[in-house]
């Protein structure tokens, strides 16, 4: 029986067999959203009328016997960083409140072309800067495993929507870990594809040389099916790679690690890592060895400098990218008195329209790029980027994939790190190197940490354009873990219906 | 970093900030910069810079006429418009 708890591939099969219609499936998810999203707050905007109308069209096409895409009629939650024509697109920022873009991002165009039904836009840290969604101008999302905790960030709305069964698929974007870390802390699957394989056209830029959209799902196969839909060359993105995308769906169906060499990154263990995270990581390694993989411990010494390089490169690019929010052509415009100049209006609007973290990063980037400091900061960071690329190249000359925990800890409490930017930045320590090197990475659930019963993520990294390796290794590990757990890890999530009442709305008594 | 410098940065970034905000961000920037400055430890002279992970040069697309946004669509998000153009506050001073 198909329900909101089914996987996307199960739903697709039921649609194909006409056991359920897309309208019913979409309605089922809106019912769930209505029930639990007051507590979870995964969505910023819903397009119920549009989604149901679209589902009806797809049902009609199916009834007429048209050949449809594998994911036709399946609902999806879209991160609010991607433009969707005439739908609110805020990037979690006040500066874009009420903005309705006049064009679709390429990701949305591809979703539409494949008849995927977009339920609405998901919450995120403002301009994707953060690891918790606490930087959203519209309030944080909450982790369905424990509503007092963060669902990760910046794509916490997308990960929370999956774990809360509000959507079977979601789109995220990953600049330093914003797909993978949210997946890790919510017990879901998230993939950052190789840079340049998913078009950035219509992805509101944070750090152009690092930003990459990717699939979020509850299983490795579901992520692969979505990956296949959104990836591919796009002439509208000048960094798009004009090469065929590897067959990630076949890899996800294969899941065979016999004889595969897996490199364990020495730098991503030890101090600062939660005990339960390391235990689950080790358990997954043991499973992979039992399945016939060969483990090789590797050192990537420059990874210790990745975080520092990232927090120079990303803010530098952001300071330039976010200059476009100038109160002139779209978005917020605030003028306090008549006769103020364009520049004064710009200053006031940006001062009121951007939140603290965005201001922090723009200021940091402006500093790192300013004359006199450029070589010492931005220039040095670019050199570290070269060293990190070399470390990966050396590692991948010895092994097929690299693995690590996705994040050093499980989900922390909302508010716990909100006033300590440096502590917050440490969440991305394991995910950042892949962005700097442009390679693909996946996070999948490795179980629950024994000390807090919260999900732990297992990260897999593969060389450029070898994203199929992520799916192959991920599928093998997932299959073994599902056998061990008696199904998906999300079967162990507490019943949201009991929790939501406590957190619904503001100041409810 | 001196408060004067922080004010200058805010000016360069075109962000209006209260004195209170400037003092707070001054402390935060100092902390962050102290932490990220360690990139200098390994950034030796003989190491080339990488600005893009996947190198590409001269990316062009065909010079073809295609449909684009209509004037109305392009103006659809404008805070103010007049005669099918963006209307902006005055750019030059009185003098």
């Amino acid at each position: 029986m198909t329900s909101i708890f089914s996987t996307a591939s199960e739903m697709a099969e039921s649609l194909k067999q006409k056991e359920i219609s897309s309208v019913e499936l979409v309605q089922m998810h809106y019912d769930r959203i209505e029930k639990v999203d007051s507590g979870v707050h995964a969505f910023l905007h819903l397009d119920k009328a549009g989604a149901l109308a679209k589902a009806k069209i797809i049902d009609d096409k199916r009834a007429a016997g048209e050949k449809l895409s594998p994911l036709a009629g399946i609902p999806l939650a879209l991160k609010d960083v991607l433009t969707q024509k005439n739908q609110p697109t805020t990037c979690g920022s006040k500066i874009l409140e009420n903005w309705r873009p006049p064009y679709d991002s390429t990701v949305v165009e591809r979703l539409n072309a494949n008849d995927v039904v977009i339920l609405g836009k998901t919450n995120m840290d403002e301009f994707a800067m953060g690891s918790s969604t606490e930087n959203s101008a519209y309030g944080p999302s909450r982790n369905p495993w424990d509503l007092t905790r963060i669902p990760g960030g910046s794509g916490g709305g997308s990960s929370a929507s999956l774990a809360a069964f509000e959507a079977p698929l979601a789109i995220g974007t990953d600049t330093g870990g914003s797909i993978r870390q949210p997946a890790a802390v919510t017990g879901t699957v998230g993939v950052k594809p190789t840079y340049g394989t998913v078009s950035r056209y219509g992805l509101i830029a944070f750090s152009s040389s690092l930003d990459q959209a990717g699939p979020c799902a509850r299983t490795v196969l579901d992520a692969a099916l979505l990956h296949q839909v959104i990836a591919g060359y796009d002439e509208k993105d000048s960094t798009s790679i004009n090469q065929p995308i590897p067959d990630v769906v076949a890899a996800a169906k294969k899941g065979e690690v016999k004889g595969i060499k897996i490199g364990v990154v020495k730098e991503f263990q030890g101090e600062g890592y939660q005990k339960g995270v390391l235990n689950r990581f080790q358990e997954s390694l043991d499973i992979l060895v039992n399945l016939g993989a060969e483990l090789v411990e590797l050192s990537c010494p420059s990874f210790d400098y990745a975080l520092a390089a990232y927090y120079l490169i990303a803010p530098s690019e952001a300071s330039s990218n976010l200059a476009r929010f100038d109160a002139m052509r779209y978005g917020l415009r605030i003028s306090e008195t008549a006769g103020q100049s364009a520049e004064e209006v710009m200053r006031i609007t940006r001062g009121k329209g951007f939140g603290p973290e965005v201001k922090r990063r723009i200021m940091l980037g402006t500093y790192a790029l300013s004359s006199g400091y450029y070589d010492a900061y931005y220039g040095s960071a670019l050199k570290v980027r070269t060293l990190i690329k070399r470390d990966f190249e050396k590692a991948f000359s010895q092994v097929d994939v690299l693995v690590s925990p996705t994040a050093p800890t499980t989900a922390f409490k909302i508010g716990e790190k909100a006033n300590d930017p440096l502590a917050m930045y440490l969440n991305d320590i394991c995910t950042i190197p892949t962005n700097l090197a442009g390679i693909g990475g996946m996070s999948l659930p490795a179980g629950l940490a024994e000390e807090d019963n919260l999900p732990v993520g297992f990260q897999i990294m593969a060389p450029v354009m070898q994203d199929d390796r992520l799916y192959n290794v991920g599928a093998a590990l997932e299959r073994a873990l599902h056998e061990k757990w008696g199904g998906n890890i999300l079967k162990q999530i507490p019943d949201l219906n009991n929790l939501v009442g406590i957190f619904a709305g503001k100041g409810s008594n | 970093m001196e408060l004067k410098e922080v004010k200058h940065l805010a000016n360069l970034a075109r962000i209006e900030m209260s004195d209170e905000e400037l003092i707070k961000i001054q402390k935060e920037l100092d902390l962050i910069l102290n932490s990220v400055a360690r990139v200098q430890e390994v950034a030796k002279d003989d190491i080339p810079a990488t600005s893009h992970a996947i190198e590409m040069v001269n990316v062009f697309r065909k010079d073809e006429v295609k449909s684009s946004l209509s004037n109305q669509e392009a103006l659809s998000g404008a805070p103010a418009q007049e005669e099918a153009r963006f209307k902006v506050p005055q750019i030059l001073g009185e003098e």
Side-chain angles (χ1 to χ4, degrees):
Chain A
M1 194 48 199
T2 305
S3 76
I4 53 167
F5 304 108
S6 306
T7 65
S9 25
E10 287 164 355
M11 290 176 193
E13 188 54 31
S14 297
L15 285 169
K16 207 170 144 194
Q17 302 302 329
K18 299 194 178 116
E19 293 161 9
I20 191 170
S21 71
S22 178
V23 168
E24 287 168 327
L25 193 60
V26 168
Q27 184 59 52
M28 217 182 253
H29 284 91
Y30 279 120
D31 291 346
R32 174 69 171 184
I33 290 167
E34 205 161 294
K35 224 187 241 168
V36 301
D37 207 52
S38 55
V40 178
H41 193 226
F43 286 91
L44 291 177
H45 174 73
L46 296 170
D47 178 25
K48 196 170 170 181
L52 284 168
K54 180 147 182 232
K56 176 77 176 62
I57 294 170
I58 299 160
D59 285 338
D60 291 347
K61 280 199 223 175
R62 198 184 302 274
E66 267 186 51
K67 191 172 156 29
L68 297 172
S69 155
L71 290 180
I74 305 288
L76 172 139
L78 180 67
K79 190 178 179 183
D80 207 23
V81 64
L82 287 148
T83 62
Q84 187 186 2
K85 195 173 175 175
N86 295 330
Q87 292 297 317
T89 300
T90 68
C91 248
S93 179
K94 285 285 174 200
I95 215 159
L96 284 177
E97 195 170 17
N98 301 321
W99 181 55
R100 288 176 186 251
Y103 70 104
D104 278 331
S105 52
T106 297
V107 167
V108 167
E109 229 174 65
R110 284 175 174 267
L111 292 171
N112 285 337
N114 283 273
D115 285 327
V116 177
V117 182
I118 300 169
L119 296 172
K121 309 293 289 283
T122 56
N123 195 19
M124 54 186 283
D125 287 296
E126 185 176 5
F127 287 107
M129 298 175 188
S131 309
S132 68
T133 71
E134 288 167 292
N135 296 331
S136 167
Y138 305 97
S141 299
R142 296 173 182 276
N143 192 323
W145 286 85
D146 174 351
L147 295 176
T148 66
R149 291 176 189 268
I150 59 107
S154 63
S158 286
S159 65
S161 75
L162 296 171
F165 298 97
E166 295 173 299
L169 296 173
I171 296 287
T173 59
D174 192 313
T175 305
S178 288
I179 287 176
R180 291 161 288 159
Q181 180 259 7
V185 299
T186 56
T188 58
V189 178
V191 178
K192 181 201 100 69
T194 292
Y195 179 86
T197 55
V198 179
S199 172
R200 288 186 299 107
Y201 181 75
L203 192 179
I204 298 172
F206 156 21
S207 181
S208 309
S209 80
L210 304 167
D211 297 342
Q212 186 64 201
C216 309
R218 291 192 288 259
T219 68
V220 171
L221 177 60
D222 285 0
L225 290 166
L226 183 55
H227 190 134
Q228 201 176 42
V229 163
I230 60 173
Y233 175 67
D234 179 19
E235 64 170 22
K236 289 177 185 161
D237 173 358
S238 61
T239 57
S240 181
I241 298 176
N242 195 356
Q243 275 176 46
I245 302 297
D247 192 343
V248 291
V249 174
K253 287 178 176 166
K254 188 175 157 209
E256 173 60 65
V257 291
K258 209 171 160 75
I260 281 184
K261 283 189 179 167
I262 295 177
V264 182
V265 184
K266 213 170 72 183
E267 280 72 17
F268 290 153
Q269 298 171 52
E271 212 189 315
Y273 288 77
Q274 195 177 316
K275 191 166 161 278
V277 168
L278 292 176
N279 287 345
R280 291 298 83 72
F281 178 64
Q282 188 55 49
E283 228 170 65
S284 292
L285 291 181
D286 295 343
I287 288 172
L288 288 166
V289 169
N290 277 336
L291 294 172
E294 186 192 327
L295 293 191
V296 182
E297 180 150 311
L298 284 168
S299 175
C300 297
S302 68
F303 286 10
D304 282 342
Y305 295 88
L307 195 69
Y310 176 86
Y311 278 98
L312 286 163
I313 292 169
S316 294
E317 294 188 18
S319 72
S320 165
N321 272 324
L322 271 63
R324 64 169 57 93
F325 301 104
D326 58 6
M328 298 298 132
R329 296 153 300 154
Y330 55 95
L332 189 68
R333 176 186 290 181
I334 300 173
S335 47
E336 285 167 340
T337 54
Q340 277 179 318
S341 72
E343 210 171 290
E344 281 170 309
V345 170
M346 208 180 285
R347 274 176 226 280
I348 295 164
T349 304
R350 288 163 64 84
K352 292 212 172 10
F354 288 141
E357 180 64 21
V358 172
K359 288 181 191 171
R360 221 162 12 236
R361 298 221 195 167
I362 292 177
M363 294 280 281
L364 184 60
T366 306
Y367 181 82
L369 292 178
S370 58
S371 66
Y373 301 105
Y374 180 97
D375 287 338
Y377 289 100
Y378 183 68
S380 297
L382 294 187
K383 290 184 173 188
V384 170
R385 200 168 178 180
T386 305
L387 294 175
I388 286 162
K389 259 188 91 171
R390 286 179 184 169
D391 272 2
F392 271 120
E393 274 158 23
K394 196 173 155 215
F396 287 129
S397 71
Q398 300 167 65
V399 297
D400 300 298
V401 294
L402 289 169
V403 296
S404 76
T406 308
T409 68
T410 55
F412 48 89
K413 294 263 186 194
I414 291 174
E416 194 182 317
K417 298 183 183 177
N419 294 315
D420 188 350
L422 282 174
M424 190 67 91
Y425 296 171
L426 278 172
N427 280 292
D428 300 329
I429 196 157
C430 308
T431 46
I432 276 173
T434 59
N435 298 81
L436 290 170
I439 66 169
M442 168 189 281
S443 177
L444 75 155
L448 306 181
E450 61 270 20
E451 58 270 17
D452 53 19
N453 270 321
L454 290 167
V456 171
F458 183 88
Q459 180 177 229
I460 309 167
M461 298 163 270
V464 163
M465 290 308 277
Q466 310 291 329
D467 298 3
D468 50 333
R469 293 188 194 173
L470 306 172
Y471 289 94
N472 180 41
V473 175
L477 178 59
E478 181 188 62
R479 195 190 298 134
L481 285 169
H482 282 190
E483 255 168 54
K484 186 175 165 210
W485 302 328
N488 196 299
I489 192 76
L490 289 166
K491 279 192 170 174
Q492 298 175 45
I493 200 167
D495 186 356
L496 259 183
N497 289 318
N498 300 331
L499 298 174
V500 162
I502 308 168
F503 294 93
K506 278 180 194 164
S508 57
N509 294 309
Chain B
M1 202 186 298
E2 304 266 324
L3 192 60
K4 203 174 71 185
E5 254 185 298
V6 182
K7 270 187 184 168
H8 176 61
L9 275 185
N11 179 44
L12 288 175
R14 303 288 188 272
I15 300 175
E16 191 177 77
M17 280 193 246
S18 65
D19 288 345
E20 204 181 52
E21 240 184 316
L22 286 166
I23 290 165
K24 186 164 181 277
I25 214 161
Q26 176 189 18
K27 286 185 196 142
E28 290 166 344
L29 285 181
D30 268 337
L31 267 174
I32 298 169
L33 283 168
N34 273 332
S35 166
V36 296
R38 58 193 301 263
V39 290
Q40 293 157 20
E41 292 168 19
V42 286
K44 305 279 181 249
D45 288 345
D46 59 339
I47 300 164
T50 298
S51 59
H52 257 77
I54 318 265
E55 276 176 59
M56 284 185 188
V57 281
N58 296 343
V59 177
F60 297 114
R61 61 172 177 245
K62 281 183 198 149
D63 188 14
E64 289 168 344
V65 179
K66 284 184 184 170
S67 61
S68 59
L69 295 182
S70 67
N71 178 278
Q72 209 187 356
E73 282 173 321
L75 287 168
S76 63
Q81 51 173 298
E82 198 176 292
E83 293 173 20
R85 293 177 178 86
F86 293 106
K87 188 180 176 189
V88 302
Q90 67 171 28
I91 291 167
L92 301 173
E94 300 271 311
E95 62 273 27

Coordinates of all heavy atoms in Angstrom, one line a residue, chain A residues 56-88:
Chain A
K56 N -2.8 16.6 -11.9 CA -4.0 16.2 -12.7 C -3.6 16.0 -14.2 O -3.9 15.0 -14.9 CB -5.1 17.3 -12.6 CG -6.3 17.1 -13.5 CD -7.2 16.0 -12.9 CE -8.6 15.8 -13.6 NZ -8.4 15.4 -15.0
I57 N -2.8 16.9 -14.7 CA -2.3 16.9 -16.1 C -1.5 15.6 -16.3 O -1.7 14.9 -17.3 CB -1.5 18.1 -16.5 CG1 -2.4 19.4 -16.5 CG2 -0.8 17.9 -17.8 CD1 -1.6 20.7 -16.6
I58 N -0.6 15.3 -15.3 CA 0.2 14.1 -15.5 C -0.7 12.8 -15.4 O -0.4 11.9 -16.2 CB 1.3 14.1 -14.3 CG1 2.2 15.3 -14.5 CG2 2.1 12.8 -14.4 CD1 2.9 15.7 -13.2
D59 N -1.6 12.8 -14.5 CA -2.6 11.7 -14.5 C -3.3 11.5 -15.8 O -3.4 10.3 -16.3 CB -3.6 11.9 -13.4 CG -3.0 11.6 -12.0 OD1 -2.0 10.9 -11.9 OD2 -3.6 12.1 -11.0
D60 N -3.7 12.6 -16.4 CA -4.4 12.5 -17.7 C -3.4 11.9 -18.8 O -3.8 11.1 -19.6 CB -4.9 13.9 -18.1 CG -6.0 14.3 -17.3 OD1 -6.6 13.5 -16.5 OD2 -6.4 15.5 -17.3
K61 N -2.2 12.4 -18.8 CA -1.2 11.9 -19.7 C -1.0 10.4 -19.6 O -0.9 9.7 -20.5 CB 0.2 12.6 -19.5 CG 0.3 14.0 -20.0 CD 1.8 14.3 -20.1 CE 2.2 15.7 -19.7 NZ 3.6 16.0 -19.7
R62 N -0.9 10.0 -18.3 CA -0.7 8.6 -18.0 C -1.9 7.8 -18.5 O -1.8 6.7 -19.1 CB -0.5 8.3 -16.6 CG 0.2 7.0 -16.3 CD 0.3 6.7 -14.8 NE 1.1 7.7 -14.1 CZ 2.5 7.7 -14.0 NH1 3.1 6.7 -14.6 NH2 3.1 8.6 -13.3
A63 N -3.1 8.3 -18.2 CA -4.3 7.6 -18.7 C -4.4 7.5 -20.2 O -4.9 6.5 -20.7 CB -5.6 8.4 -18.1
A64 N -3.8 8.5 -20.9 CA -3.8 8.5 -22.3 C -2.7 7.6 -22.9 O -2.6 7.5 -24.1 CB -3.7 9.9 -22.9
G65 N -1.9 7.0 -22.0 CA -0.9 6.0 -22.4 C 0.4 6.7 -22.9 O 1.2 6.0 -23.5
E66 N 0.6 7.9 -22.5 CA 1.8 8.6 -22.9 C 3.0 8.0 -22.2 O 2.9 7.6 -21.0 CB 1.8 10.1 -22.5 CG 1.3 11.0 -23.7 CD 1.4 12.5 -23.3 OE1 2.5 12.9 -22.9 OE2 0.4 13.2 -23.5
K67 N 4.2 8.0 -22.8 CA 5.4 7.5 -22.2 C 5.9 8.6 -21.2 O 6.1 9.7 -21.6 CB 6.4 7.2 -23.2 CG 7.6 6.4 -22.6 CD 8.5 5.9 -23.7 CE 10.0 5.7 -23.2 NZ 10.2 5.2 -21.9
L68 N 6.0 8.2 -19.9 CA 6.4 9.3 -18.9 C 7.8 9.0 -18.3 O 8.3 7.9 -18.4 CB 5.3 9.3 -17.8 CG 3.9 9.7 -18.3 CD1 2.9 9.5 -17.1 CD2 3.9 11.1 -18.8
S69 N 8.3 10.0 -17.8 CA 9.6 9.9 -17.1 C 9.5 9.1 -15.8 O 8.4 9.0 -15.3 CB 10.1 11.3 -16.7 OG 10.9 11.3 -15.6
P70 N 10.5 8.4 -15.4 CA 10.4 7.5 -14.2 C 9.9 8.2 -13.0 O 9.2 7.6 -12.1 CB 11.9 7.0 -13.9 CG 12.6 7.2 -15.2 CD 11.9 8.3 -16.0
L71 N 10.1 9.5 -12.8 CA 9.7 10.2 -11.6 C 8.4 11.0 -11.9 O 8.0 11.9 -11.0 CB 10.8 11.1 -11.1 CG 12.0 10.4 -10.4 CD1 13.0 11.4 -9.9 CD2 11.5 9.5 -9.3
A72 N 7.7 10.8 -13.0 CA 6.5 11.6 -13.3 C 5.5 11.4 -12.2 O 5.2 10.3 -11.8 CB 6.0 11.1 -14.7
G73 N 5.0 12.5 -11.8 CA 3.9 12.5 -10.8 C 4.3 12.5 -9.3 O 3.5 12.5 -8.4
I74 N 5.7 12.4 -9.1 CA 6.2 12.3 -7.7 C 6.4 13.7 -7.1 O 6.9 14.6 -7.8 CB 7.6 11.6 -7.7 CG1 7.5 10.2 -8.4 CG2 8.1 11.5 -6.3 CD1 6.8 9.1 -7.6
P75 N 5.9 13.9 -5.9 CA 6.1 15.2 -5.3 C 7.5 15.5 -4.8 O 8.3 14.6 -4.5 CB 5.2 15.2 -4.1 CG 4.5 13.9 -4.1 CD 5.2 13.0 -5.1
L76 N 7.9 16.8 -4.8 CA 9.2 17.2 -4.5 C 9.2 18.5 -3.7 O 8.4 19.4 -4.0 CB 10.1 17.3 -5.7 CG 11.5 17.9 -5.6 CD1 12.5 17.1 -6.5 CD2 11.6 19.3 -6.0
A77 N 10.2 18.7 -2.8 CA 10.3 19.9 -2.1 C 11.6 20.6 -2.6 O 12.6 20.0 -2.7 CB 10.5 19.6 -0.6
L78 N 11.4 21.9 -3.0 CA 12.5 22.6 -3.6 C 13.1 23.7 -2.7 O 12.4 24.5 -2.1 CB 11.9 23.3 -4.9 CG 12.8 24.2 -5.7 CD1 13.9 23.3 -6.4 CD2 12.1 25.0 -6.8
K79 N 14.4 23.7 -2.6 CA 15.1 24.6 -1.7 C 14.9 26.0 -2.3 O 15.0 26.2 -3.5 CB 16.6 24.3 -1.6 CG 17.3 25.1 -0.6 CD 18.8 24.7 -0.6 CE 19.6 25.5 0.5 NZ 21.0 25.2 0.4
D80 N 14.6 27.0 -1.4 CA 14.2 28.3 -1.8 C 15.3 29.2 -2.4 O 15.2 30.4 -2.6 CB 13.5 29.1 -0.7 CG 12.5 30.1 -1.2 OD1 12.0 30.0 -2.3 OD2 12.2 31.1 -0.4
V81 N 16.4 28.5 -2.8 CA 17.5 29.2 -3.4 C 17.4 29.1 -5.0 O 18.2 29.8 -5.7 CB 18.8 28.6 -2.9 CG1 19.0 27.2 -3.4 CG2 20.1 29.4 -3.3
L82 N 16.5 28.3 -5.4 CA 16.4 28.1 -6.9 C 15.2 28.8 -7.4 O 14.1 28.7 -6.8 CB 16.3 26.6 -7.2 CG 17.6 25.9 -7.1 CD1 17.4 24.5 -6.6 CD2 18.4 26.0 -8.4
T83 N 15.3 29.6 -8.5 CA 14.2 30.3 -9.0 C 13.1 29.4 -9.6 O 13.5 28.4 -10.3 CB 14.6 31.3 -10.1 OG1 15.1 30.7 -11.2 CG2 15.6 32.4 -9.5
Q84 N 11.9 29.7 -9.4 CA 10.7 29.0 -10.0 C 9.8 30.1 -10.4 O 9.4 31.0 -9.6 CB 10.1 28.1 -8.9 CG 9.0 27.3 -9.5 CD 8.2 26.5 -8.4 OE1 8.5 26.7 -7.2 NE2 7.3 25.7 -8.8
K85 N 9.5 30.1 -11.7 CA 8.8 31.2 -12.3 C 7.5 31.6 -11.6 O 6.7 30.7 -11.3 CB 8.5 30.9 -13.8 CG 8.0 32.1 -14.6 CD 7.9 31.7 -16.1 CE 7.4 32.9 -16.8 NZ 7.3 32.7 -18.2
N86 N 7.3 32.8 -11.2 CA 6.1 33.4 -10.6 C 5.9 32.8 -9.2 O 4.8 33.0 -8.6 CB 4.9 33.2 -11.4 CG 5.0 34.0 -12.7 OD1 5.6 35.0 -12.7 ND2 4.4 33.5 -13.8
Q87 N 6.8 32.0 -8.6 CA 6.7 31.5 -7.3 C 7.6 32.3 -6.4 O 8.7 32.6 -6.8 CB 7.0 30.0 -7.2 CG 6.0 29.2 -7.9 CD 4.6 29.2 -7.3 OE1 4.4 29.2 -6.1 NE2 3.6 29.4 -8.1
P88 N 7.2 32.6 -5.1 CA 8.1 33.3 -4.2 C 9.5 32.6 -4.1 O 9.6 31.3 -4.1 CB 7.4 33.2 -2.9 CG 6.0 33.0 -3.2 CD 6.0 32.2 -4.5

